[in-house]
Amino acid sequence: MRPFSYAAPATLAEAVTALAESGPGTKILAGGTTLYDLMKLDIEAPPAVVDIHRLAEIAAVDTTRPGEFSFGAGARMADVADDPVVRRDFPALAESLAKAASQQLRNMATVGGNLLQRTRCGYFRGGPVFPCNKREPGSGCSALGGLDRGHALFGGGDACVATYPGDWAIALLAFDAVVDVIGPRGARTVAIADLHVEPGDTPQREHTLAGDELIVRIRVPVTPSGRGSTYHKIRDRESYAFALVSVAAGVAFDDRGVVEDCRIALGGVATRPWRAPAAERVMIGERLTEATARRAGEVAFAGARPGTGNAFKIELGVRAVADALRIAGERAVR
Amino acid sequence: MSTPTRRVDAREKVTGAARYGADRTSPDLAHAVFAVSTIGKGRVVNVDTAAAEAVPGVLTVLTRIDPAELGSPGFVMGGGYGFQSLQPLTDDRIAYRGQPIALVVADTLVAATEAANLVRAEYEAEPVTSDLDAEGAETLVQEEAIPLPFLADIVVGDADAAFAGSAVRIEETYELPRQHQVPMELIGGVVEWRGDTLVVHEGTQNAGALRGGLAKQLGMDPAKIEIIAPYTGGGFGQKNSLQPHVGPLALAARRLGRPIKFVMPRTQTFHQASFRPASRHLVRLGADETGRLLAAVHEVDQQTSRHDLFPSMSTEITSRLYGIGHFRGRQRLVRTDVQTPGFMRAPFEHPAAFAFESAVDELAYAVGQDPVALRLANDTDVDPVTGQPFSSRYLAECLRRGADMFGWAGRTHEPRSMRASDGSRIGWGVASGVYPASVAPAVARLTATSEGKVTVGVDGHEMGQGIRTAITLLISEDLSVGVDDVTVDVGDTRVAPQHLTAGSWGTATALQAVHAALRELRKHLNVADSDPVDVGAAVAATGQTSVEVEATTIAPGQPPEIIERSRAGLVAFAGPVYPGFTAFSFIAHFVEVRIEPTTRRIRVPRVVSVADCGRVASPVTAASQVRGAVVWGIGASLRERSEVDPRFGGFANATMEEYPIPVNADIGEIEVGFVDKPDPMLNPVGVKGLGEVAMVGVAAAIGNAVFHATGRRLRRLPIRIEDVL
Ligand SMILES: Cc1cc2nc3c(=O)[nH]c(=O)nc-3n(C[C@H](O)[C@H](O)[C@H](O)COP(=O)(O)OP(=O)(O)OC[C@H]3O[C@@H](n4cnc5c(N)ncnc54)[C@H](O)[C@@H]3O)c2cc1C
């Protein structure tokens, strides 16, 4: 860890000013469970930190307005995961948080910071021993030809195959969430689908926010497929592990029992949160059966490009999609 | 006396009153951090410390120590004291990634950490060899490389001929990964000088070796070195000898005139301390059509380092599991570029039993026999290697009682024949475990006061296994004093030599010494040898306020001088072969696995384990030992593997987050039973060992259950989701 300057503004307005006035490389600090961790590993070395962890203004959860749930960026993961309304009306959202990290981390970490967590690729986190284009642009990618059991099947390339590790963004992506952002140049709204980017030739760039932009809240349209939803996470142990494969799925049926809305997004297998629209289309207009669900899974994983140690995640993923659709279907109102 | 329902130090531990090595802070404490090698092998050409030294608060940056000032501690398995012979910082050689290249000491931990990150080195790198079959790996026949009788290949009869002539033959190879101990308490503590006396507070299983090794390294009189380790927060073999950080810290503390605290970061514990080496086991079993075992061959290749030969003792147990007339073992060591591997709970026995007990299950299926019945039919009362009787052997009872408790009779033999209502495949597996019952020399000094208090200082280390509780119970039951009136001092070189506590000999060793001291005390107090004693009154009757006695005990057949080896901090245990008898502990494990129908997650909802460890000295902590070992067995067979990228050497998943030890949610019901029959020959308290036998066979029982559930025989650990998809 290197020395850095620290500011803890009392209001959102002050925070925006502090970010505008601070120099390049300044980092927003929320729960710190990613940022401090990477600072201790000497991977992030911000000269200045602006702490927003105690800003009550951006910590509210609102599930009372019609048509939309709103989550302040500063809300704790644990609070949203345990919210009874979210659990009832949007199980995929609650489960994506409940199945992430550990209780201690969820008590500390925020739903805004969660979106911008960085990859758990061991070569990235391992420091200068390993070439890594994300950490040291141009140095190479050690995961290619290396230990890649946890690496991406989708969205990777010659520069980087590191997996986007978060769970929450997968669920948000399936349900077309947006994030409201504020910065020195004003406020704007970014679709979650446009927040994260594939590595391309610049794997060090992971999202589309400017360094001085602050996520204020996350908004999710409430839909019937939200009630009939699940976040199905397959991992190496039953808790406290990132996904090998995860699936956010939502289903809504018409009155004949035919699928009229279907949402499928994948985690643990792509360089960014990964929506599977072609798989969703497989289901729409069909009945949800073992066969159609399996077919959706196969379509979802059709374009997968495995490395040396992660090909098993294709079949695992296909089955996880099918199971997720079944669980979601059981929850959907018929 | 009523048996306490909790360990005697539970309250101290839960409330944080128990003080571990690193808790020994003082106002002028300085903090140390090591900078480590980023290459896996080669030479360090230059270390640039300018930026590190410029960090405010940095007191010193040490990159090279004259070997005359700090010699090699010697390798613990080669007559020395260290987990390895190599002492970092004493020359330019890099033998493994993560080897220290500089020691930074600063006023604060933050400054020391920042400075260590700023140390830059230039290297001449050489290619790294990591795997057993990789180019550059050097394979040695153990009995030729280390000509010591107890490391020689075990040969009984003519196993190859008997195998060739057997009607049923099983021949398979099993592979086990590198694994790490990952104890909760990190390695380290506080090193300080009090005048010309060196005092080390550090969690260890072997305070004696810390003292003896530091004396050797620093050229000091051992009498001027004190090791204080009343609590060790988990050792599991990783803390069984002198670690190479202590010597440099002692030198730096002397130069700076300040105590130094060092807590090794988790990732460095994967590289700067021992681990379970990779191993490969070829097993051949020859039997008749009924499954009666006639011959066994067990050949082992086990990883070691370039600089030390960490031996394998895998066949010591596989030759004793059953009454097999012909046995041939062969153990080979494979040199790779790594720190020296070492002992990790059931170091050889867990891998060996996975291989052998999987093969026995394969035999049961080859001959169409029930796996429990086949094991019972091959039991023996006689040690097949020496022809001597076992001091006690209740393996058959473990199997029978375990089968009963588990409900084994309800099992259908065919693989894939049992299914749960949710569609999960159910598999039931069994395996036996055995582990040598060793004993070490020990000294117990017992003081009784006219207030009725009893204090004992004895060889032994409390690392969570419950030795303090077992000793307290012995004294409390023997004298009829309350457990609160008993104080036990262990892990402290000021009260006893502190021989290594490992190999499951700790309880038997300490209890036999304390038992002897109790007999001495009764003589001094002039009371009968067994009746309850009013200790306070008996002491007062002597006209003194306290009475102190001392007893020294050794293992059966050891010469009395052996205690001098222990006093020097050297390994001095004996067993499992004693004059006239052979002593082992035994266990049987029964496991249920359930494998999901689609995504195929493997779950272990219940395990039943029944152990023969002689008399159960402390019921609460004994059951806890077994449960912990079963949990570890689940981790070791379904999850844990220390990953290596051979291009870089070192270990890739070197954090608690990435190294997948099980979490609570992974663990189901674990039911523990004990035969609880005293061993009449080993020692007067009738106690054998438990901590390690408890883990032996768990992995095989799980693998056998996975076979029963799926029909797939998986011979490489860990068994993961991709293996059963
Ligand atoms: C051991 C471990 C296991 C974990 N397991 C999981 C898991 O299984 N699943 C999972 O999803 N996550 C997991 N996590 C990640 C964890 O959920 C994230 O670290 C956490 O959600 C980040 O939130 P935070 O508030 O602590 O963010 P910080 O660490 O404070 O910030 C993270 C990043 O977001 C930026 N940031 C924070 N808030 C804002 C804002 N309002 N606007 C703009 N930028 C912002 C920061 O500048 C920083 O770059 C795990 C973490 C650890 C340490």
Side-chain angles (χ1 to χ4, degrees):
Chain A
M1 184 125 68
R2 321 261 179 106
F4 58 91
S5 74
Y6 172 89
T11 65
L12 180 59
E14 277 178 42
V16 173
T17 311
L19 284 166
E21 285 169 359
S22 64
T26 299
K27 278 279 180 184
I28 296 169
L29 173 72
T33 62
T34 284
L35 186 61
Y36 277 160
D37 189 21
L38 292 173
M39 287 167 73
K40 287 192 207 162
L41 291 172
D42 214 23
I43 290 168
E44 299 263 22
V49 155
V50 176
D51 185 351
I52 60 160
H53 203 223
R54 278 176 296 270
L55 285 188
E57 265 173 278
I58 60 163
V61 172
D62 187 353
T63 56
T64 60
R65 277 185 299 146
E68 185 178 271
F69 283 179
S70 162
F71 304 102
R76 304 299 191 271
M77 286 171 72
D79 292 336
V80 177
D82 292 341
D83 187 293
V85 178
V86 181
R87 287 174 56 168
R88 185 194 63 207
D89 291 346
F90 240 129
L93 296 183
E95 287 172 355
S96 74
L97 294 167
K99 292 180 183 178
S102 64
Q103 187 66 47
Q104 292 89 331
L105 286 158
R106 293 192 295 270
N107 289 344
M108 197 70 194
T110 63
V111 296
N114 187 290
L115 297 177
L116 301 188
Q117 64 180 288
R118 305 195 69 186
T119 185
R120 311 307 288 196
C121 171
Y123 299 109
F124 168 72
R125 290 171 59 84
V129 171
F130 309 108
C132 169
N133 289 324
K134 193 185 272 298
R135 180 169 29 76
E136 196 67 52
S139 62
C141 174
S142 300
L144 297 172
L147 299 167
D148 63 359
R149 185 169 180 269
H151 288 73
L153 304 170
F154 299 104
D158 294 345
C160 181
V161 287
T163 302
Y164 174 79
D167 293 303
W168 168 236
I170 311 304
L172 293 174
L173 177 65
F175 294 98
D176 299 320
V178 298
V179 293
D180 293 333
V181 176
I182 193 164
R185 293 165 301 284
R188 64 185 181 115
T189 294
V190 183
I192 195 94
D194 298 327
L195 182 63
H196 299 95
V197 295
E198 287 178 29
D201 296 332
T202 53
Q204 68 278 16
R205 182 168 172 270
E206 295 167 354
H207 58 79
T208 54
L209 299 188
D212 55 7
E213 282 185 311
L214 192 153
I215 300 173
V216 178
R217 73 182 72 77
I218 299 153
R219 290 183 288 120
V220 193
V222 175
T223 66
S225 58
R227 187 174 271 249
S229 74
T230 188
Y231 188 75
H232 193 50
K233 182 175 178 183
I234 309 297
R235 43 190 160 166
D236 279 327
R237 52 187 169 197
E238 296 285 313
S239 171
Y240 190 51
F242 289 93
L244 285 170
V245 174
S246 67
V247 182
V251 184
F253 299 102
D254 67 14
D255 42 19
R256 294 164 304 145
V258 167
V259 174
E260 68 176 6
D261 185 15
C262 177
R263 312 296 184 99
I264 301 173
L266 308 176
V269 292
T271 55
R272 48 160 296 170
W274 199 259
R275 185 96 179 243
E280 295 173 353
R281 284 195 296 274
V282 167
M283 294 306 302
I284 290 175
E286 297 284 337
R287 289 187 185 272
L288 173 50
T289 65
E290 238 176 74
T292 54
R294 164 96 202 169
R295 176 89 194 107
E298 285 166 358
V299 169
F301 280 85
R305 288 197 306 167
T308 50
N310 57 0
F312 76 96
K313 295 207 290 191
I314 298 175
E315 179 59 26
L316 182 63
V318 171
R319 297 184 193 184
V321 168
D323 279 358
L325 287 170
R326 178 180 50 75
I327 298 165
E330 284 164 6
R331 290 175 179 169
V333 180
R334 297 218 189 204
Chain B
M1 272 302 111
S2 71
T3 305
T5 53
R6 59 170 174 84
R7 54 181 78 222
V8 295
D9 43 16
R11 189 180 174 80
E12 280 162 277
K13 288 188 172 180
V14 171
T15 57
R19 292 179 79 198
Y20 290 79
D23 299 334
R24 304 279 170 162
T25 53
S26 66
D28 58 343
L29 201 63
H31 297 263
V33 174
F34 284 97
V36 300
S37 163
T38 56
I39 64 161
K41 185 181 187 177
R43 251 167 35 81
V44 56
V45 179
N46 176 46
V47 184
D48 179 356
T49 60
E53 277 163 17
V55 172
V58 168
L59 301 168
T60 184
V61 183
L62 239 146
T63 58
R64 190 61 59 82
I65 302 170
D66 185 342
E69 216 185 344
L70 188 71
S72 163
F75 176 40
V76 69
M77 289 305 288
Y81 303 90
F83 99 85
Q84 62 178 10
S85 58
L86 187 152
Q87 174 59 56
L89 302 180
T90 54
D91 70 7
D92 62 356
R93 190 158 57 98
I94 297 294
Y96 50 92
R97 181 154 76 74
Q99 179 181 323
I101 56 166
L103 169 64
V104 179
V105 185
D107 283 330
T108 65
L109 176 60
V110 172
T113 304
E114 185 195 349
N117 277 339
L118 293 172
V119 171
R120 291 284 169 270
E122 275 171 50
Y123 303 94
E124 268 169 19
E126 295 165 26
V128 184
T129 300
S130 299
D131 296 324
L132 295 180
D133 298 315
E135 199 186 321
E138 188 193 349
T139 303
L140 308 169
V141 174
Q142 174 167 301
E143 65 176 4
E144 291 165 8
I146 328 173
L148 291 173
F150 72 102
L151 298 178
D153 287 343
I154 292 175
V155 177
V156 182
D158 186 347
D160 297 291
F163 175 75
S166 295
V168 183
R169 290 191 294 268
I170 302 291
E171 173 167 354
E172 294 295 348
T173 300
Y174 304 83
E175 288 173 58
L176 290 103
R178 308 163 184 86
Q179 294 178 331
H180 279 79
Q181 298 92 334
V182 206
M184 183 96 89
E185 181 200 32
L186 292 159
I187 290 170
V190 173
V191 174
E192 61 179 326
W193 289 86
R194 294 183 188 159
D196 60 353
T197 298
L198 173 62
V199 182
V200 178
H201 308 271
E202 170 156 326
T204 178
Q205 304 168 237
N206 195 352
L210 264 63
R211 179 170 61 176
L214 286 168
K216 176 177 181 203
Q217 285 198 281
L218 299 165
M220 283 178 64
D221 175 1
K224 294 283 186 194
I225 300 175
E226 294 173 356
I227 313 298
I228 302 173
Y231 293 98
T232 297
F236 312 117
Q238 197 175 49
K239 295 176 186 154
N240 71 1
S241 45
L242 176 60
Q243 309 279 340
H245 63 269
V246 191
L249 292 180
L251 291 177
R254 185 161 59 194
R255 264 177 232 168
L256 296 170
R258 287 172 66 172
I260 299 180
K261 173 167 164 172
F262 170 68
V263 178
M264 192 181 288
R266 180 64 68 185
T267 297
Q268 291 190 7
T269 68
F270 279 77
H271 296 95
Q272 294 188 39
S274 73
F275 62 101
R276 190 195 299 285
S279 65
R280 182 169 47 208
H281 301 246
L282 170 78
V283 178
R284 294 195 190 103
L285 298 179
D288 67 17
E289 283 95 349
T290 69
R292 172 76 212 150
L293 280 159
L294 305 170
V297 173
H298 183 186
E299 298 188 346
V300 185
D301 287 342
Q302 180 183 292
Q303 177 187 25
T304 187
S305 67
R306 294 277 179 208
H307 43 279
D308 294 307
L309 293 173
F310 175 64
S312 173
M313 287 177 262
S314 303
T315 57
E316 185 176 69
I317 65 144
T318 50
S319 57
R320 266 86 174 205
L321 266 162
Y322 302 105
I324 307 177
H326 300 273
F327 183 94
R328 183 175 63 74
R330 182 183 178 81
Q331 299 176 127
R332 303 195 306 175
L333 303 177
V334 184
R335 291 190 133 134
T336 60
D337 299 310
V338 71
Q339 77 267 27
T340 302
F343 298 87
M344 168 164 152
R345 200 174 200 173
F348 318 108
E349 298 78 7
H350 151 70
F354 170 68
F356 207 86
E357 283 290 279
S358 297
V360 167
D361 203 65
E362 302 203 37
L363 174 65
Y365 276 88
V367 298
Q369 267 265 21
D370 173 75
V372 174
L374 181 122
R375 286 175 168 83
L376 287 171
N378 282 291
D379 194 22
T380 174
D381 286 335
V382 174
D383 172 7
V385 178
T386 60
Q388 304 192 130
F390 285 107
S391 55
S392 60
R393 174 171 170 129
Y394 295 103
L395 176 58
E397 185 163 342
C398 295
L399 284 162
R400 285 199 197 97
R401 275 193 37 200
D404 249 20
M405 287 161 67
F406 189 80
W408 186 259
R411 178 180 186 265
T412 51
H413 182 75
E414 276 312 297
R416 298 165 55 85
S417 62
M418 292 173 70
R419 208 186 263 260
S421 55
D422 69 353
S424 293
R425 296 275 181 196
I426 296 179
W428 287 3
V430 63
S432 313
V434 306
Y435 191 90
S438 302
V439 181
V443 177
R445 188 176 300 142
L446 211 130
T447 309
T449 72
S450 53
E451 284 162 347
K453 306 270 186 210
V454 181
T455 301
V456 68
V458 61
D459 277 82
H461 299 80
E462 176 58 72
M463 47 226 197
Q465 85 279 38
I467 201 168
R468 189 176 271 119
T469 302
I471 295 168
T472 303
L473 283 180
L474 181 73
I475 295 172
S476 157
E477 281 165 16
D478 190 291
L479 298 175
S480 295
V481 295
V483 291
D484 293 338
D485 292 324
V486 179
T487 304
V488 176
D489 291 325
V490 287
D492 190 328
T493 55
R494 296 169 303 180
V495 303
Q498 301 307 344
H499 182 276
L500 166 64
T501 303
S504 293
W505 62 65
T507 303
T509 297
L511 291 191
Q512 107 169 1
V514 174
H515 179 264
L518 286 165
R519 308 277 77 66
E520 251 342 90
L521 177 71
R522 283 171 177 274
K523 266 188 236 156
H524 270 71
L525 297 180
N526 226 345
V527 295
D529 204 37
S530 59
D531 299 335
V533 188
D534 181 342
V535 173
V539 172
T542 66
Q544 289 164 305
T545 54
S546 76
V547 171
E548 186 177 315
V549 294
E550 191 181 288
T552 299
T553 49
I554 54 180
Q558 282 190 317
E561 319 79 78
I562 194 74
I563 192 68
E564 295 313 320
R565 264 187 77 80
S566 175
R567 286 191 198 285
L570 294 165
V571 177
F573 71 95
V577 175
Y578 301 97
F581 66 92
T582 301
F584 280 83
S585 291
F586 302 89
I587 198 161
H589 300 284
F590 293 80
V591 168
E592 173 172 322
V593 301
R594 291 190 179 213
I595 302 179
E596 282 185 319
T598 49
T599 46
R600 309 291 279 172
R601 282 176 287 189
I602 306 173
R603 297 188 164 110
V604 185
R606 66 193 187 102
V607 177
V608 169
S609 304
V610 179
D612 162 22
C613 59
R615 186 172 78 80
V616 176
S618 164
V620 169
T621 54
S624 165
Q625 279 286 292
V626 179
R627 280 194 299 270
V630 169
V631 169
W632 202 334
I634 292 170
S637 46
L638 298 177
R639 293 187 171 75
E640 295 171 36
R641 176 159 87 188
S642 303
E643 305 283 357
V644 176
D645 182 332
R647 298 170 300 175
F648 302 100
F651 295 96
N653 53 342
T655 65
M656 287 266 243
E657 173 204 326
E658 297 161 287
Y659 185 82
I661 55 172
V663 295
N664 282 327
D666 292 315
I667 304 304
E669 212 179 291
I670 301 171
E671 207 182 333
V672 179
F674 292 104
V675 174
D676 199 11
K677 293 214 175 96
D679 186 298
M681 295 193 198
L682 193 58
N683 53 59
V685 285
V687 169
K688 302 193 279 189
L690 177 62
E692 305 189 65
V693 77
M695 184 171 164
V696 181
V698 178
I702 290 173
N704 296 341
V706 169
F707 170 76
H708 185 234
T710 64
R712 272 190 234 186
R713 184 64 70 180
L714 296 162
R715 303 186 182 90
R716 197 179 61 216
L717 295 187
I719 296 168
R720 295 195 289 198
I721 201 165
E722 52 264 50
D723 299 311
V724 292
L725 264 185

